[in-house]
Amino acid sequence: MLKWYEQVKMEPGKYYVSNRIRLARNWSEYHFPRRLRNDEASEMVQRMRDALQELPLQQHENVRDCLLTEVPEIRRMAMRERRVLSSSILERKAPVGLFLSESENLSLVLNGDDHIRLQLMGPNLGMEELYRNIDRLDDYMNRQFEYAFDAHYGYLTSFPTNVGTGMRANIVLHLPMLAQSKQFPKLLESLGQFGVNIRGVYGDGKENHGSLFDLSNARTLGVSEQEIMNLVKKTAMQLNSEEEKLRTYSIESNRLERTDEVFRAYGFLKYARRVSIREALRNLSAVMAGITDGLARTEQELSIYALYLGVQPSNLIAAEKEPVDREKIDILRANYLRRMLPELIER
């Protein structure tokens, strides 16, 4: 079965890479995670694992559950790079449970920052379907565990910034042209006034590599789930429109330069023998933009975004059968790219 990120297909004029909906919930029978003793946490996690063995997941076959302590450290770090786990969850010393679907579009973390962190991810843009599925799962789980809920404030969570709906809606966009414009920093700053956050997926500001930007709601209190989705989608569409204008102009005025940039980036990725993470992301961004804009195509169908994840250090190491010297990670990355990149053909 393909992973969800292997199904990302960029189309002309549509620069949406992925979307995600995440819910934070707590079981009213127990203290919040940071106040639980280890024996209480173990009991709670086991009770939850037992109760959730029959999740209504017709579209998510082969969901496995485990304790994070049963997963090797390098694989936990690789899951963080693939956005299955957060850094704060990796740092937890208390028992943590994980349900993960085979395609990794569904993840359910037990006793992380909150008792329940339910997450659905998907390629490109399909937020309504994600919400329908996660809402159904949420209702099922609430029948198993009575949630900590206040009639005035809504769902109670460990962090005040999640109180209310407990929901985060995210859209990741590929915005290489906007990122190069002088007005982009001011644009990012202004978005905060409208109730959204935007950050570089791989660094911020001038240190952003790969030109991927994560857009999410800033508020969870006093707004409905539908209002959150509408706001994030509307903002994403506005950014997408601005990016499209710049790309259209660049192709009309500098098609040869744009095409040359794409094939230079491809040549580096395909033939270099040592590739840093910054070089990989910067050049993958150029290749992805060229394919999306119809300047080139790959001989075999391929998700360039999957390569963004594949070149991350822990994912490279986790894929190896033998121990890896971290000093040779740039060589390993170059080998991976030469192996995975198909022939690029000019259109």
Side-chain angles (χ1 to χ4, degrees):
M1 174 183 287
L2 288 176
K3 305 295 187 186
W4 75 264
Y5 47 82
E6 294 173 325
Q7 302 171 43
V8 174
K9 295 177 181 177
M10 307 299 289
E11 300 177 13
K14 297 180 181 178
Y15 313 121
Y16 313 105
V17 175
S18 68
N19 53 166
R20 173 179 71 173
I21 292 182
R22 188 179 66 203
L23 301 178
R25 301 286 187 259
N26 286 284
W27 192 357
S28 61
E29 285 190 27
Y30 291 87
H31 294 303
F32 283 0
R34 300 293 174 177
R35 295 183 57 199
L36 278 179
R37 300 193 311 268
N38 267 10
D39 60 325
E40 293 174 322
S42 295
E43 174 195 90
M44 182 192 71
V45 169
Q46 190 57 54
R47 288 180 64 188
M48 296 174 87
R49 289 178 69 191
D50 291 343
L52 296 173
Q53 289 302 310
E54 297 185 5
L55 282 167
L57 299 169
Q58 294 87 350
Q59 76 277 34
H60 302 295
E61 296 181 6
N62 300 322
V63 176
R64 297 183 178 180
D65 78 293
C66 63
L67 293 174
L68 277 190
T69 52
E70 300 169 350
V71 181
E73 181 183 10
I74 191 63
R75 294 199 176 276
R76 297 198 299 269
M77 294 171 65
M79 283 193 282
R80 180 195 62 188
E81 292 173 351
R82 299 196 302 275
R83 309 186 82 186
V84 172
L85 302 174
S86 65
S87 297
S88 62
I89 290 172
L90 284 183
E91 295 168 359
R92 293 276 285 153
K93 303 300 182 185
V96 176
L98 173 67
F99 283 73
L100 185 63
S101 66
E102 187 175 359
S103 71
E104 296 190 3
N105 60 340
L106 164 74
S107 62
L108 169 59
V109 175
L110 308 176
N111 196 42
D113 294 324
D114 291 279
H115 295 152
I116 295 168
R117 193 201 72 167
L118 180 60
Q119 174 176 285
L120 280 180
M121 301 186 73
N124 306 117
L125 190 60
M127 191 159 283
E128 287 79 6
E129 182 180 358
L130 286 185
Y131 180 73
R132 284 195 296 271
N133 289 328
I134 206 168
D135 187 47
R136 180 167 53 87
L137 289 168
D138 187 38
D139 289 343
Y140 173 82
M141 294 177 67
N142 197 14
R143 291 194 292 271
Q144 315 304 314
F145 323 109
E146 183 180 348
Y147 288 155
F149 185 85
D150 180 87
H152 178 69
Y153 291 107
Y155 295 102
L156 304 180
T157 59
S158 296
F159 296 106
T161 50
N162 288 328
V163 169
T165 61
M167 179 173 128
R168 293 287 168 187
N170 301 67
I171 297 175
V172 172
L173 298 102
H174 184 220
L175 306 173
M177 290 293 176
L178 267 178
Q180 295 174 31
S181 68
K182 295 180 180 180
Q183 293 77 24
F184 194 54
K186 291 183 178 179
L187 176 62
L188 297 188
E189 189 177 333
S190 68
L191 289 177
Q193 302 173 16
F194 299 99
V196 294
N197 295 320
I198 186 167
R199 63 178 183 83
V201 175
Y202 300 110
D204 290 303
K206 294 182 180 179
E207 289 301 311
N208 179 275
H209 305 285
S211 299
L212 297 185
F213 294 87
D214 185 298
L215 183 71
S216 65
N217 56 297
R219 294 175 55 203
T220 59
L221 182 63
V223 288
S224 69
E225 290 85 353
Q226 190 61 53
E227 287 172 330
I228 288 172
M229 288 192 294
N230 289 344
L231 174 63
V232 174
K233 279 187 61 180
K234 179 181 178 181
T235 308
M237 291 173 68
Q238 291 172 339
L239 289 170
N240 189 88
S241 178
E242 293 301 314
E243 175 74 13
E244 184 178 19
K245 291 176 186 176
L246 293 174
R247 291 209 201 186
T248 299
Y249 175 78
S250 74
I251 293 173
E252 290 175 350
S253 58
N254 299 298
R255 185 181 182 90
L256 179 59
E257 290 182 17
R258 281 288 315 279
T259 304
D260 183 64
E261 178 187 354
V262 173
F263 280 87
R264 283 176 180 270
Y266 173 81
F268 177 84
L269 295 170
K270 188 67 176 177
Y271 299 109
R273 269 28 188 188
R274 190 189 297 270
V275 180
S276 71
I277 184 64
R278 294 182 178 185
E279 291 170 330
L281 295 176
R282 184 174 67 249
N283 287 287
L284 283 171
S285 174
V287 172
M288 184 156 73
I291 293 172
T292 305
D293 294 342
L295 299 173
R297 64 176 178 85
T298 52
E299 197 170 44
Q300 291 90 37
E301 199 167 273
L302 174 74
S303 166
I304 298 295
Y305 179 62
L307 301 187
Y308 270 77
L309 302 179
V311 299
Q312 300 300 317
S314 297
N315 275 276
L316 286 170
I317 295 172
E320 294 296 302
K321 296 180 180 179
E322 300 177 356
V324 175
D325 183 347
R326 282 189 173 270
E327 292 184 359
K328 297 182 179 179
I329 195 71
D330 289 355
I331 298 173
L332 192 64
R333 184 176 293 110
N335 293 341
Y336 168 82
L337 287 166
R338 288 201 307 276
R339 185 172 69 251
M340 296 300 297
L341 276 171
E343 189 71 21
L344 192 69
I345 303 168
E346 185 174 354
R347 284 186 178 276

